[in-house]
Every structure is written in structure tokens, then in C-alpha cells.
Amino acid sequence: MKPGDRLVSNWLFLLTFMVFGMVAGGGHARTIGASFIMQDWAPITGFIPPLNAQGWARMFGLFQQTAQYQAHPISLIQFKALFWPMFLDRCWGRLMALVLLLPLALFWSRRRISHRLALWILAIFAAGGAQALFGWYLVRTGLQPGVLAPPPAWAAPHFIAAMFIFGALLWTALAIRTPEPARIEGAAVLKPWANASIALILATMSFGALVTATNAVTVYNSFPLMDGNLVPPSLLSMHPGWVNFLNNQATVQFCHRILATLTALTVLTTAVLGLRAEPMPPAARDAFLLLAGLVALQYLLGMVTIVLGSANLGFFHELNAVLLLAAAINTRFHLRGASPRRRVRKTFFFEKKNQKTFINLANGQLHQHGPE
Amino acid sequence: MSQAVLAAQPRHTHAATPENRRLVALWLFAVCFMIWVMVGIGGFTRETGSGLSIMNWDPIVGALPPLSTAAWNKLFALYQTIPQAQILHQGMDLAGFKQLFWPEYIHRLWGRLIGLVFFLPLIGFIVTRRIEARLIPWLILLFIMGGLQGAIGWFMVASGFDPNSIAVQPWRLSLHFSFAMLLYVSVLWTALTVSAPQAVPYAGLAWLRRWAVAATVLLAITMFAGTFVSGTQAIKIFDPAHGVGVGMPPPGWPDLGFFTDKATILFNHQALGFFTALAILATTVLAIRGNAPAPVRDAGLAIGGLVILQFTLGVTALVSKLLDIGVAHQMNAVLLLTACLVLLHRLRGAKG
């Protein structure tokens, strides 16, 4: 495998981008309320949509068994309008599988990629397959009585799992594009900051997914207070207590707000530290700049979303969160070659002997003197 | 060194020693800080609507608050004669009046204190010859301008006693704030120049200075527009459900009163704020990506960070209608202006 193989890295960047598209498609389907619309999963042949009235009747009939339909019956025409976005999202997933498997087979058989890398990409493929299966069970919850929308305990892990696949693909693509990390003297202190940024972004995104899943965007449409309170009174109104952190609109929105502020402060601090650090190669510096810009935009989008109570704007807030995560991963990637600052060795008057040794060491002559 | 030798030396060579410069700069920065606090107190006075609670202006004697019940009653009785008291505060008791009184009183007292903190060290520095001769007339002019600012404040307050008036006229409030900023910028620039008298001739950064100038001018215009938002308390008309104040020009714009129609005032400030934020962020990005030297880069980072905070505070003030956040927004605007001036000052020698 040749170092910095652009074809291979471009292929993986394409896959990363396709995961982003999948998030957009899935988020859109959820925003319009189409999550339960296809109560049918044929992994291979499912790319063929219903072709005749009989096919449509069968598909519609399956949806009619859901609690969502029984609570809010819709016509066949409305059903079709909801069907296509969900259908497209699933076809996009199948396309992703092809875009992963076919080039993989080609690159692997021609030894253009190492066994190690091929196995790693296969593992990512398996994770994608598991994610599809998980998604299918998520859709099946629509058949349970009283379940009108994807349950938070299902929807949020589905989203976060997608983020892990996204991150793994992005990191792999970046590592193939630039296999040799650029040495950055003294920037090692930034690594934990970048790691904390990524962890906090993921934690905030988890609660963001819960805000979406509980439709909490429709409540407490005020900022910075939540309807006049710093902490909403119904914070722990559900029993047992942990359920609040999944299903209570007030709790998940509160956690999302607090984590978002903490994340924004951490990410901005990381960016300022990175932008002031010297030396910093231009590519790494731009990574920090992008990170700062996206987190500021993200906070602003979040504020406007909650004040307007707009699920549509929340969708764009979600997409920008994925971009922000990508920027944070990119930043961390650029810090791979960061090393601790070299200590300036101080010598004291009583260290004359050591100083001599130190100078000899610097001249590479230590072996000539031997230990004294 | 004897007194005779000292006197024989040219004045400026003695005055401009590093220690003296540091001392003078420290004093001027302290004055800047006091003006910044004054902006906060003034904003709070505006927020609580207490600016009209003292009906007279005695520049010297007014430093004393009412000390007896009789004095309080006299002041309260005077207040009850003005339209604001009759329209807004029917049946207010003395305790309510005192609440109205204190912010305005502290605002005026702090102004007198700034005058003292400016004047006494100035005299001291002149007498001990610690200050460059060429600075003396300029600083005396600044002191006179400070007095003028007090007079403008009174000119503003007086407009609040007009018939049917419950607040001061917005354009006079704008004048008062704008003049405060003129003073602030003058003192700050002087302080910066005293602390760093040599302009660094950075090569190849004149383009960045042009960006910084444009961003600062836009910021000044946005702050000017902001004074009318504060003066009319225009954020009170924000109503997202009906699309009022959400960043769109109101129907009929721009033919409505530019400085009287609240929806127009709100939109103008928002639009200007948006473009100012873009210009400042562009300046930050260009400074960082243009490998500016560390002092310039850090000032560039400061304006970028403060403008993000400023935009966030502005949106928050609007959507929450919390006037406290409006005051924080106003104080942060002065910090942002400070950072812009520091950037400009560091770039003042930039060439090519």
C-alpha cells in the first residue's frame, strides 16, 4: 500500500460524506413524521418500491397497523408523500453498502490496501449493518400500542451509533490522506482539550437527540431562562428518577442547554489555545479556526431553534452538529504529531559535572568519556 | 540630582521616562475602566427608568444625597410634579421613590468621581513633571469634555420633564452615550500610546489595518444604532409569533421614521450588527490566517471572541426581553470597541 493513497482516502471521504447524507435523510424523515411509514424491511430487494396498486395497498396496510396511523389516520396520497423520503433514506443506505463493498473488494484483491485496513473497513461495514438492523427494530416499535413516535431510548442510541461510524470513517480517511503526522513541538497540552471537546460534543448531541425524540423543542421556548426559571420545576417529576433523563421534556432540554454551554466554552477555549500556540502548522491552525466558527454558529442556531420552537430549524442545528463533530475530530487528527514542550534544562552552580556531561551528550561525545 | 539641574533639562526628556510613562498609562487605563463601569451604571439607570428622579443639577453640591427626612420629602415632592411621576408612578411612596433615586444618584456620583480621578492626578503629574508637555493641553481638553458630558447628561434628563413625557428623548440619550464613547476612545488611545509610544512598522499588514478600520467604523455605527434601541426600549416590541423583530425589515421600511419607529430601529441595529459581526470575524480570520505577529494575532482573537459573545448577548437580550442582558450587551460592546482599538493601535505602524 503506497503512503497517502489519494484514491483510497477519497473513497473513504466519499463514504464519510454519505453517512452525513444518511443523517440528513433520516433526520428529514423523522422531522416530517415518517419514521414508522415503512413497516417492511427486505434488505436486498427492498430497493424496489411498490410498483402497482396492489403493492401500495400492501405497504399501506402494514402502516395501518401502527399506533401512529390509528391515532392519526391518513389517506393513501398522504401516505405516499411520507413514504418516498423514508424510502430514499433506506436506498441511500443500500447505496452506501455498495460504495463500501465494491471498491473494498477491488482494492483488497489488488493489494492496494493492507489486510489490516481491509479488515478495519469490513468492521465498519459490520457496524453499518448492525446500525441498519437497529434502525429496523426502531421502526418496529411503531407497532406497539401507544407508541406514536420513535421512543427516545431507541432514537438517541441510533443517532450516536451513526456518529461513531461517521467518526471512524473520517479518522480513517484522514489517516490515509496524511499517514505521517506533522511534528508540532509543545502542542501536546492541546490533545486533552481536543479529546474533551469531542467527548462533550458527543454528550451534547446525545441529549440533542433526546430533545428531538421527546419533541422537547415545543416547550420552554425562551432563552436563557426556561419560562422564567433557571431550572425547570418539573425537572425530576417522573419516577423512577432516571426516566427523566430519557423521557422528560424539561429534563432533556435542560441537560442539552447546560451541556451545550459547557461544550461551547470548552471548544472555544481549545480553539483559542490552539490559535495562540506557536509553532502551529497552517493546516492545524485552520482546523482550530473552523472549529471555533462552527461552534459559535451551532450555539446561535440552537438558541434561535429553541426560541422559535422550530423543529425544521432544529434539523439544521442537527446537521451542523455533525459538521462540528467532524471539525473537532479533524482538529484532534492534526494534533497527532503534537509533542510535549522540550524542557529547558536549568543547570545550577553545583551541577558543574552534570553540565559537562550534558554538553558532551549534546555533542554526541558521551561515549568517549565514559562514566566518571 | 539637584532641583536646579532638573529645571535646566528640557521638560520632555525628563517626563518621558519608562517609569513615568507606565504611571501615566496606568492612571489613564484606570479612568477608562471607570468610564466602562459608568456605561454599566448608565445602562442600569436607563433599565430601571430612574433617570428622571433628580430634577436639578448642582455639579458640586449635588454630590450629597438627601440627609434628612425633610430633604427627602422635598425631593420627592419635586419629583411628583413631573409627568413621569403622574403617568407611571401614581401613588408611589417614599420608599419607592428612594429605589428610583439611588441608581441615578450613583450614576451622577460616579461621574464626579471620574472627574476627580482624572483631575487630581493630572495636576499632580503636571506639578511633579512626570507627564510630557505636549500631552498637557490634550488632557486638559479631555477634562473639559468630561465636564461637557455631565452637561449633556443634564440636557438629556431635562428633556424627560416635557409635558406627557415619561422618558428622556432618545436622540439626547444617543448623544450622551456617543459622547461618552468619544471620551472613552480618546482616553484609551492616549493611554495606549503612552504605554507603547513606538509604532511597530509591521511589513505587509496595511491591508489588515484597512479591514480593522472598516470593522471598527461598522462597530461604531452599530453602537450608535444601538443607542436608539436602548432609548426607545425597542426590544419590547419583539414578537416572533407575528414576525416582529426577527431580522426582517418591517413592512414599509425604509420609509418609516429611522430614529422613531421601534420596528425600524430594531431592524437597523440587527442588520448593522450582522454585518459588523461578519466584518470583525473576517478580520479575525484574516489576521490568523495571514500569520500576523503574536500581538496583532491576539488582538484579532480578542475581537473575534468578543463579537461572538456580543452577538449571542444581543440575540439573548432580544428573545428574553431581559433588560439586564441588554445592559451586559451594552457593556460588552464597549469591551469589543476596546479590543478593536487595541488592534488598530498595534497595527498603526503597519506598512505595505
Side-chain angles (χ1 to χ4, degrees):
Chain A
M1 185 182 166
K2 58 180 183 183
D5 192 329
R6 287 186 82 84
L7 186 64
V8 174
S9 69
N10 282 343
W11 162 55
L12 291 170
F13 277 124
L14 176 68
L15 274 171
T16 313
F17 179 75
M18 286 186 81
V19 175
F20 180 75
M22 190 81 190
V23 173
H28 174 249
R30 183 212 60 230
T31 306
I32 61 173
S35 304
F36 292 155
I37 211 77
M38 284 179 76
Q39 290 295 333
D40 180 28
W41 188 39
I44 309 293
T45 58
F47 72 93
I48 307 168
L51 295 172
N52 50 34
Q54 198 190 348
W56 279 112
R58 188 186 76 85
M59 198 64 89
F60 193 29
L62 288 170
F63 176 64
Q64 284 169 340
Q65 296 168 16
T66 63
Q68 187 190 1
Y69 176 84
Q70 284 152 19
H72 307 286
I74 54 174
S75 68
L76 182 61
I77 293 176
Q78 288 169 312
F79 172 77
K80 284 182 182 175
L82 290 176
F83 173 86
W84 288 113
M86 193 69 223
F87 174 77
L88 277 178
D89 192 47
R90 292 198 188 183
C91 283
W92 187 260
R94 291 186 179 92
L95 190 63
M96 267 179 11
L98 285 182
V99 172
L100 189 145
L101 286 177
L102 294 183
L104 175 67
L106 205 66
F107 290 142
W108 201 358
S109 64
R110 294 187 174 184
R111 296 283 179 272
R112 189 155 178 171
I113 58 175
S114 64
H115 291 308
R116 210 170 95 92
L117 179 62
L119 289 173
W120 169 240
I121 292 170
L122 267 183
I124 293 177
F125 174 75
Q131 173 76 340
L133 191 66
F134 189 86
W136 169 239
Y137 279 109
L138 167 63
V139 170
R140 295 292 281 179
T141 60
L143 293 176
Q144 294 167 12
V147 176
L148 301 179
W154 284 87
H158 188 53
F159 179 66
I160 294 303
M163 288 304 100
F164 276 102
I165 294 172
F166 177 80
L169 276 170
L170 178 61
W171 187 277
T172 312
L174 286 168
I176 290 170
R177 171 70 55 95
T178 322
E180 278 298 313
R183 292 259 152 250
I184 312 176
E185 182 82 15
V189 66
L190 290 166
K191 280 186 191 174
W193 279 99
N195 291 342
S197 294
I198 293 172
L200 277 168
I201 289 170
L202 280 171
T204 310
M205 285 173 94
S206 308
F207 275 99
L210 290 172
V211 168
T212 310
T214 57
N215 205 19
V217 71
T218 57
V219 296
Y220 300 109
N221 300 118
S222 58
F223 187 89
L225 301 178
M226 294 173 74
D227 288 352
N229 297 308
L230 210 54
V231 180
S234 56
L235 193 71
L236 294 169
S237 58
M238 292 183 179
H239 296 281
W242 61 267
V243 173
N244 289 292
F245 293 90
L246 278 180
N247 293 325
N248 187 334
Q249 288 180 320
T251 317
V252 296
Q253 199 197 98
F254 176 75
C255 292
H256 187 56
R257 284 177 185 235
I258 297 292
L259 277 170
T261 304
L262 192 64
T263 305
L265 292 177
T266 308
V267 171
L268 281 177
T269 307
T270 309
V272 168
L273 290 175
L275 291 170
R276 296 196 70 225
E278 284 172 1
M280 187 60 69
R285 180 202 60 204
D286 287 353
F288 281 110
L289 209 49
L290 185 67
L291 182 65
L294 283 175
V295 79
L297 178 63
Q298 180 66 355
Y299 200 84
L300 198 65
L301 268 177
M303 279 170 61
V304 177
T305 300
I306 198 61
V307 168
L308 298 181
S310 162
N312 284 327
L313 201 56
F315 174 53
F316 290 102
H317 181 57
E318 171 187 341
L319 294 185
N320 194 56
V322 182
L323 296 182
L324 174 60
L325 177 68
I329 292 172
N330 181 43
T331 304
R332 178 62 185 81
F333 178 80
H334 280 289
L335 290 173
R336 273 177 317 159
S339 56
R341 192 168 296 284
R342 192 182 293 155
R343 277 215 199 103
V344 180
R345 178 90 161 66
K346 278 189 183 158
T347 48
F348 299 98
F349 68 95
F350 53 82
E351 281 188 318
K352 272 251 162 72
K353 205 164 30 172
N354 291 347
Q355 190 180 18
K356 195 177 164 193
T357 316
F358 183 65
I359 292 165
N360 290 339
L361 185 66
N363 294 337
Q365 294 170 339
L366 186 66
H367 60 281
Q368 292 176 359
H369 290 264
E372 286 179 327
Chain B
M1 208 184 285
S2 74
Q3 205 60 37
V5 176
L6 254 183
Q9 280 186 335
R11 220 178 207 187
H12 63 273
T13 52
H14 168 62
T17 62
E19 298 84 62
N20 285 345
R21 278 210 319 270
R22 218 176 1 253
L23 204 62
V24 171
L26 191 68
W27 160 58
L28 291 173
F29 281 127
V31 172
C32 284
F33 176 76
M34 288 186 78
I35 298 177
W36 180 68
V37 173
M38 188 70 165
V39 169
I41 302 173
F44 184 73
T45 308
R46 173 81 197 100
E47 175 194 337
T48 51
S50 65
L52 302 180
S53 61
I54 308 176
M55 265 69 52
N56 37 30
W57 188 45
D58 303 313
I60 311 292
V61 188
L64 284 178
L67 295 171
S68 64
T69 317
W72 273 114
N73 284 332
K74 191 180 144 227
L75 210 60
F76 187 31
L78 199 57
Y79 175 68
Q80 282 166 327
T81 62
I82 70 164
Q84 188 199 43
Q86 285 155 17
I87 297 168
L88 286 185
H89 301 307
Q90 281 284 352
M92 175 185 260
D93 58 1
L94 186 61
F97 173 68
K98 284 182 180 175
Q99 247 182 1
L100 217 52
F101 171 87
W102 286 115
E104 173 67 8
Y105 171 76
I106 291 169
H107 186 58
R108 293 186 186 200
L109 187 68
W110 191 259
R112 291 185 176 94
L113 201 61
I114 295 178
L116 281 182
V117 169
F118 194 86
F119 187 71
L120 294 183
L122 176 62
I123 297 301
F125 287 142
I126 292 174
V127 169
T128 56
R129 296 187 183 172
R130 286 174 182 276
I131 205 159
E132 292 170 75
R134 64 189 184 93
L135 268 182
I136 294 171
W138 167 241
L139 290 173
I140 290 174
L141 177 68
L142 286 183
F143 179 71
I144 295 170
M145 279 168 69
L148 187 58
Q149 170 69 348
I152 292 173
W154 172 244
F155 172 66
M156 170 185 76
V157 168
S159 72
F161 304 138
D162 292 344
N164 292 323
S165 167
I166 54 164
V168 300
Q169 285 180 8
W171 75 269
R172 292 194 190 186
L173 182 124
S174 177
L175 178 68
H176 187 50
F177 183 84
S178 303
F179 201 77
M181 286 302 101
L182 185 66
L183 264 172
Y184 179 80
V185 167
S186 306
V187 179
L188 179 65
W189 193 270
T190 310
L192 289 170
T193 307
V194 170
S195 69
Q198 294 296 330
V200 186
Y202 293 121
L205 282 186
W207 60 272
L208 184 63
R209 191 181 53 207
R210 282 193 284 276
W211 272 96
V213 168
T216 310
V217 168
L218 269 172
L219 174 65
I221 297 172
T222 307
M223 287 173 76
F224 176 72
T227 62
F228 284 89
V229 177
S230 167
T232 58
Q233 297 200 337
I235 62 171
K236 287 187 172 167
I237 67 158
F238 174 71
D239 181 8
H242 298 95
V244 181
V246 288
M248 294 289 168
W253 189 89
D255 297 328
L256 308 162
F258 239 61
F259 300 104
T260 49
D261 179 68
K262 286 186 186 181
T264 302
I265 288 170
L266 203 52
F267 169 72
N268 290 346
H269 183 57
Q270 287 174 344
L272 284 166
F274 179 74
F275 288 112
T276 304
L278 285 188
I280 292 180
L281 287 175
T283 308
T284 302
V285 170
L286 290 170
I288 289 168
R289 299 201 76 224
N291 289 326
V296 173
R297 178 206 62 201
D298 285 351
L301 264 178
I303 61 168
L306 285 169
V307 82
I308 290 172
L309 179 61
Q310 181 65 356
F311 203 88
T312 309
L313 279 172
V315 174
T316 306
L318 185 67
V319 300
S320 67
K321 298 192 189 181
L322 292 173
L323 294 178
D324 281 336
I325 292 177
V327 175
H329 179 63
Q330 179 175 318
M331 292 184 80
N332 192 58
V334 180
L335 291 184
L336 178 56
L337 182 66
T338 308
C340 282
L341 284 166
V342 169
L343 176 64
L344 281 177
H345 196 265
R346 288 179 180 177
L347 280 172
R348 74 195 191 285
K351 288 184 171 59

